[in-house]
């Protein structure tokens, strides 16, 4: 303050209220209120389903939000399908560990083309509806600030996260400091096959457009004429 | 302007017509100054553009465009070619109406105008920004043809701004209780990310308005964005409107549903932030054709989210043998470093790779080494060695090798 | 977009409407990626343009446009704002038909295509370029109002190219007899300048094609220009077509009629090349108005054609007392260096100056010191300390002081 | 060559001839030929006078080329007017020490809108004509490669140049290494008056356009509204 006279001013309570909308996993920031699954279905069908599908299953404008979780997951707090390499997609409900995340995000960013237009009740309701689609809360459920912590205890992937890694700078998350992958810099006669194991099939040659048009017209090399087959 | 053939000096009889017949620009009067108060690249450079990868995203407002690394020199990315990543579209915000709020564990929450922020002591630093999902399409298999698409969610600029710690101190921050900072944007997505306090405390995190000498571009957060050196781009919140000091991480959508790294056992790593040491050869690279045998200068970029690049080795035989490349000065922390190495191409197939090492001693892993620990479904933080196959025809292809 | 009033956070009753009423960008969907494959600055930045100085030249093809230093941050000049100096207009040359010839005291004169030049080992270096006539209007009296016009024939970029010595060696240069190099352009003026061999030998002179990560802009010599670090801009020959090694200087038009410095005794100094150590405060600077009393960060640029900037001192009392400013890393040789210093304006008249010192120990002179030796008619190489008068109204004026 | 196989090729003699057009002070590079003052007047009036004036005196598109030199200057090789601070302009002939410079520049760059269009004879001739306008050669003079060295001995400012300075990097020109101006970095109570000795008059306030439109719309300061008088 003394060092920088005249710079900045105190925010008013109304200003902080207008902008401080975040909701944390411990529900700090969550406004009082509630909303039912039934009301949520209304909101969903009116304001969400056009993009996400009636059951949150659409991949037209984004990945499916719902699907891939089981009653068993709700018990264990680990989504079993995440272990399967043959499982086709990863829905929002499969991944999200914290119900606060859904509430916060819907409240700040959805509907995509009219963010921050929902009432608090609508956010509770449509969150409840999404949870209901995932079998996490029953059809007659009313989600509220009072019971949301219990709902958290049913999130299918609530135990699915770890911070035991070296990719957070600092000790706050009690991660590791040693990177998980430890390569060494072999310089000669290194033990590799140097065989090609993957490359694009020739028929996909032009899938990103004509690469000749994606490179400079002079220089040590040109872009490949991908409208023509290799070698032509 | 589309494609052009190879320009060699014509076989001289009498000589090359491009020399013997003086071009019109040697014989005429050119264009005046300030044809453009803000200039543009040559019309012959029209192929050098940022581009989308077809089919990668379902919408164009929650999408990405890739920087054309194959055509860039040095370390600075021209701001017009800076990669884009939007979650709810970009805006061109009136800076005179933009505000920044600092709240949370502070004595008094405060509001700043752009005028006020720009009056504070600023620093200017060169840093790379890389999306956590850069090279993400390549965890399992080769998916895209050129380094624009494999590595193009990467750019590097000189950023100018105010150290975030200055603003926190101005607001009377409680730096004992305050262990995390939330950064929040003003666009539709109002992107929120939990920022590591260690980088705030070190003075590295900037509330930036300048990029490469001018204001940030609208696509990159005009008039204000957070700069979090070494950390993935999603944390560099654009259209920055608010910073909150808190005692817990926020678990926001992009910390709990995306930008989480799936391990083989079905666990996700959360709050993975650092972009580890990585490099890529940009010249020559996938989708190009070498015009001839003979001398080439292999050139590429190396970077590390943990500090400075210490060394880059290059192999032209798929990783059996390596030579150490020249690093271009200045080598700066959490900044791109350009490397070069001589190569005479004998016309036989060759597999070109680069492998960087940073000043913590960390060595960029091969894809095999990376997969052994993390599997193939992480999406984020693929920093494996990249391989380019030079075929006898001169065509260069994106490949993975064993 | 023209002018705008001062944006302060409104006196809060309930609060600032810019906060309480969420802006449309917080409530809507923005624009998609790749609206521009090559992006542009914000529409709110339209005032940041390069400009001519009215009446300075009689034509617009033999003329200059000035970079808006008052609006720039850090050290990199956005290429679109790079100052222009043309002698016979600018061209956008087809690079596939451009050739470079090396002749003179070489075993075999040689011809290179752009393809070939771009295959050679390159270096990328940050350097300033300053016209020898920069600040030339101010030798006698104050002539122009802002630092755009006093100092705007100055820019700084990351240049990429091949050391000229590499090309000379390729041609079998006789480096004993060869004591000078002639550089020649391909435009109408076919600008010719004698280049100092010492800078060629040291590897500093580059045959450059890259600028700030992309190709040179047409206004700056696309596809090829000479980079002669520390030396005045006219030697950085644009549209470079030919280099000749010789045993004598050439006495070209721009070495015998212009870019010669008139001394009081009627003698001209010839082959004055080095841009000596110089600095200028860009924020605040002439033609601006301070919005308020209180804290300011005085910021400016310093540079030396002889090496690195070692120190910059700033005075706010017209040169009576000085404080040493902070230098922004990286400090590079023959490159702009950004400096900053804190200042609390008490609302009284103040005269702001900066004075740079380089690593040879040379100290930037005051105008009086410079005139004592060189008089007032040199036109070129005015590197005197610049003074800005801050008036009580907040208006800043270009002044000279005793 | 060995280090960089495949890069560049030898230039042909015709190519070198086409581009190696420079003429040095020692006349290396000067093609054989000649041109008369009379022919030069023709060329001048047809191709030069429109821009430079019939007597080279125009300042419409560039500074005057001719004027300000005297017979005495031709003798001494020093243009006396260059010493005068009250002399209004500095013409090309006042400054140029070397006749090669004129020949070379006209040959490469003039006429401005059609450079390199003159024949060798025309360049000799029009150079002769310019010299004649300056009284350096007589009306009936024919300038040629054979006599140009003698003409050099009459150039009015041939002795007007010095390389005794520290602004050439390297020793080739036998300059000095010590800079001519030696300032010191006084830090406090420095002996300066700090009085304003020069500033723009208020009536010139808007001569460079409205400075408010030449500055960013946000930041620590704005551009001055120069369409209004100071303080208004
Ligand atoms: C106009 C299209 C549209 C509408 C309407 C819409 N959404 Fe979305 N939604 C999207 C898109 C696109 C995304 C991805 C945004 C991104 O990439 O950050 C998204 C993301 C989400 C996510 C996060 C999913 C994830 O895994 O990241 C949730 C939850 C969500 N929407 C819920 C809703 C709800 C609830 C509504 C209605 C109240 C709604 N959406 C309306 C398009 C829409
Ligand atoms: C269309 C206008 C035009 C025509 C025609 C023209 N000139 Fe010029 N001339 C100029 C301009 C403009 C310059 C300054 C160029 C620069 O700034 O480098 C110039 C420069 C010169 C100079 C150098 C003067 C100096 O002090 O730098 C000479 C000598 C000259 N012209 C001679 C000629 C001759 C001889 C001809 C005819 C054969 C000619 N000019 C025709 C416009 C013209
Ligand atoms: Ca204030
Ligand atoms: Ca909060
Ligand atoms: Ca799809
Ligand atoms: Ca005029
Ligand atoms: Ca060749
Ligand atoms: Ca020659
Ligand atoms: Co993202
Ligand atoms: Co010039």
């Amino acid at each position: 303050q003394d060092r920088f006279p005249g710079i900045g001013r105190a925010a008013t309570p109304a200003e902080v209220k207008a902008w401080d909308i975040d909701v944390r996993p411990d529900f700090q920031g969550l406004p009082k209120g509630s909303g039912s699954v039934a009301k949520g279905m209304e909101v969903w069908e009116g304001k969400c389903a056009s993009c996400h599908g009636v059951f949150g299953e659409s991949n037209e404008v984004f990945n499916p939000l719902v699907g891939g979780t089981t009653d068993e997951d709700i018990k264990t707090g680990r989504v079993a399908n995440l272990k399967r390499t043959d499982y086709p997609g990863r829905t929002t409900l499969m991944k999200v560990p914290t119900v606060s995340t859904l509430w916060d995000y819907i409240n700040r960013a959805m509907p995509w083309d009219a963010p921050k237009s929902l009432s608090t009740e609508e956010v509770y309701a449509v969150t409840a509806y999404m949870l209901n689609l995932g079998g996490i809360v029953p059809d007659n459920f009313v989600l509220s600030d009072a019971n949301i912590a219990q709902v958290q205890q049913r999130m299918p992937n609530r135990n699915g996260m770890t911070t035991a890694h070296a990719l957070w700078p600092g000790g706050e998350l009690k991660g590791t400091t040693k990177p998980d992958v430890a390569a060494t810099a072999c310089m000669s006669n290194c033990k590799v096959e140097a065989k090609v194991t993957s490359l694009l099939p020739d028929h996909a040659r032009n899938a990103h457009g004509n690469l000749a048009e994606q490179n400079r017209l002079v220089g040590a090399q040109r872009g490949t004429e991908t409208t023509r087959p290799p070698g032509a | 302007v589309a494609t052009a053939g190879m320009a060699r000096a014509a076989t001289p009889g009498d000589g090359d017509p491009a020399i013997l017949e003086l071009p019109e620009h040697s014989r005429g009067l050119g264009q005046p100054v300030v044809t453009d108060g803000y200039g543009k690249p040559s019309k012959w450079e029209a192929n050098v553009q940022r581009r989308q990868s077809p089919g990668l995203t379902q919408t164009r407002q929650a999408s990405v465009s890739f920087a054309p690394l194959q055509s860039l020199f040095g370390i600075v990315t021209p701001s017009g070619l800076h990669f884009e990543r939007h979650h709810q579209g970009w805006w061109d915000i009136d800076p005179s109406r933009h505000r920044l709020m600092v709240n949370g564990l502070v004595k008094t929450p405060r509001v700043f105008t752009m005028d006020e922020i720009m009056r504070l002591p600023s620093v200017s630093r060169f840093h790379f920004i890389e999306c956590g999902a850069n090279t993400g399409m390549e965890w399992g298999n080769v998916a895209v043809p050129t380094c624009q698409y494999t590595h193009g969610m990467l750019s590097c600029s000189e950023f100018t701004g105010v150290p975030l710690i200055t603003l926190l101190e101005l607001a009377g921050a409680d730096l004992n209780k305050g262990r995390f900072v939330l950064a929040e944007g003003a666009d539709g997505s109002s992107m929120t990310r939990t920022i590591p306090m260690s980088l705030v405390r070190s003075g590295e995190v900037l509330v930036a308005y300048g990029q490469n000498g001018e204001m940030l571009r609208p696509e990159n957060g005009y008039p204000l964005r957070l700069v979090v050196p070494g950390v993935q781009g999603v944390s560099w919140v654009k259209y920055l409107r608010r910073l909150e000091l808190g005692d817990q991480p926020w678990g926001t959508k992009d910390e709990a549903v995306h930008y989480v790294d799936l391990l083989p056992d079905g666990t996700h790593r959360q709050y993975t932030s650092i972009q580890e040491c990585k490099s890529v050869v940009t010249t020559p690279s996938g989708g190009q054709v070498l015009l001839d045998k003979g001398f080439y200068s292999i050139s590429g970029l190396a970077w590390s989210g943990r500090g400075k690049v210490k060394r880059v080795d290059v192999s032209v035989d798929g990783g059996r043998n390596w030579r150490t490349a020249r690093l271009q000065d200045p080598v700066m922390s959490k900044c791109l470093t350009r490397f070069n190495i001589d190569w005479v191409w004998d016309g036989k197939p060759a597999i070109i790779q680069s492998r960087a090492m940073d000043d913590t001693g960390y060595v960029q892993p091969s894809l095999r080494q990376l997969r052994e620990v993390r599997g193939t479904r992480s999406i984020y933080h693929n920093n494996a060695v990249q391989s380019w196959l030079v075929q006898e025809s001169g065509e260069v292809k994106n490949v993975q090798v064993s």
Side-chain angles (χ1 to χ4, degrees), chain A residues 14-39:
Chain A
E15 288 172 333
V16 176
K17 183 151 183 278
W19 278 13
D20 183 7
I21 60 172
D22 61 89
V23 178
R24 291 200 310 202
D26 65 350
F27 306 111
Q28 195 209 65
L30 183 70
K32 283 201 190 319
S34 66
S36 67
V37 169
K39 162 88 179 181

Side-chain angles (χ1 to χ4, degrees), chain B residues 69-85:
Chain B
L69 301 185
Q70 71 277 15
S71 302
L72 301 187
F73 312 114
I75 59 171
V76 171
T77 309
S79 296
L81 296 172
H82 195 289
F83 85 88
E84 297 170 277
R85 174 72 173 113

Side-chain angles (χ1 to χ4, degrees), chain B residues 4-10 16-19 21-45 48-52 59-61 63-65 71-81 84-99 101 111-116 118-126 158 160 185-190 209-219 222 239 241 283 291-297 299 326 328-330 332 338 340 342:
Chain B
M6 170 175 168
R8 292 169 181 274
D16 183 347
I19 295 175
E21 294 153 26
L22 292 188
E24 68 165 342
H25 51 266
S26 298
R27 295 179 287 103
L29 181 59
Q31 297 194 64
V33 292
V34 212
T35 49
D36 302 273
Y38 194 97
K40 304 182 296 282
S42 162
K43 68 180 177 200
W44 305 101
E45 296 295 307
V48 182
Q49 300 265 325
R50 46 190 181 196
R51 293 184 172 82
Q52 277 192 280
T59 72
R60 288 185 62 209
Q61 290 93 346
S63 189
V64 58
S65 77
S71 302
L72 301 187
F73 312 114
I75 59 171
V76 171
T77 309
S79 296
L81 296 172
E84 297 170 277
R85 174 72 173 113
H86 313 307
H87 287 267
Q88 224 136 322
W90 66 268
W91 295 85
D92 193 2
I93 293 176
D94 179 351
S96 72
R97 296 189 49 79
H98 190 73
R99 302 288 179 267
M101 182 184 287
V111 170
F112 302 90
T113 61
M114 286 303 297
D115 291 348
E116 290 169 330
M118 293 173 80
R119 269 169 76 172
L120 289 170
S122 66
V123 297
S124 298
R125 295 196 186 122
F126 291 87
E158 183 188 28
T160 298
D187 62 333
S189 76
S190 294
Y209 44 83
Q211 181 175 345
N212 291 336
E214 60 191 2
M215 289 289 279
L216 293 161
R217 293 295 176 85
E219 298 94 319
Y222 183 90
Y239 319 111
R241 76 168 190 182
T283 310
L291 299 179
D292 205 351
K293 298 177 203 181
F295 181 88
Y296 286 85
S297 176
S299 179
R326 295 181 294 275
Q328 177 65 60
D329 280 337
M332 293 180 275
R338 172 66 60 174
N340 292 283
D342 295 0

Side-chain angles (χ1 to χ4, degrees), chain A residues 96-160:
Chain A
V96 66
T98 33
V99 66
S100 61
T101 304
L102 288 179
W103 204 103
D104 174 84
Y105 180 67
I106 293 167
N107 181 53
R108 72 173 56 246
M110 287 296 136
W112 199 47
D113 49 1
K116 305 177 190 69
S117 63
L118 300 181
S119 69
T120 298
E121 187 195 357
E122 286 175 317
V123 178
Y124 273 109
V126 81
T127 304
Y129 182 68
M130 272 190 65
L131 296 170
N132 175 260
L133 284 175
I136 299 162
V137 301
D139 294 352
N140 62 354
F141 195 72
V142 179
L143 182 67
S144 73
D145 58 291
N147 64 15
I148 196 165
Q150 281 114 280
V151 173
Q152 173 59 35
Q153 292 315 312
R154 291 178 54 77
M155 292 298 284
N157 203 38
R158 66 189 176 278
N159 299 322

Side-chain angles (χ1 to χ4, degrees), chain B residues 342-359:
Chain B
D342 295 0
W343 180 47
V344 177
W345 185 43
D346 60 8
K348 305 227 176 72
I351 295 172
I352 302 181
Q353 303 178 323
S354 67
R355 179 184 65 198
M357 196 188 292
D358 69 21
D359 60 1

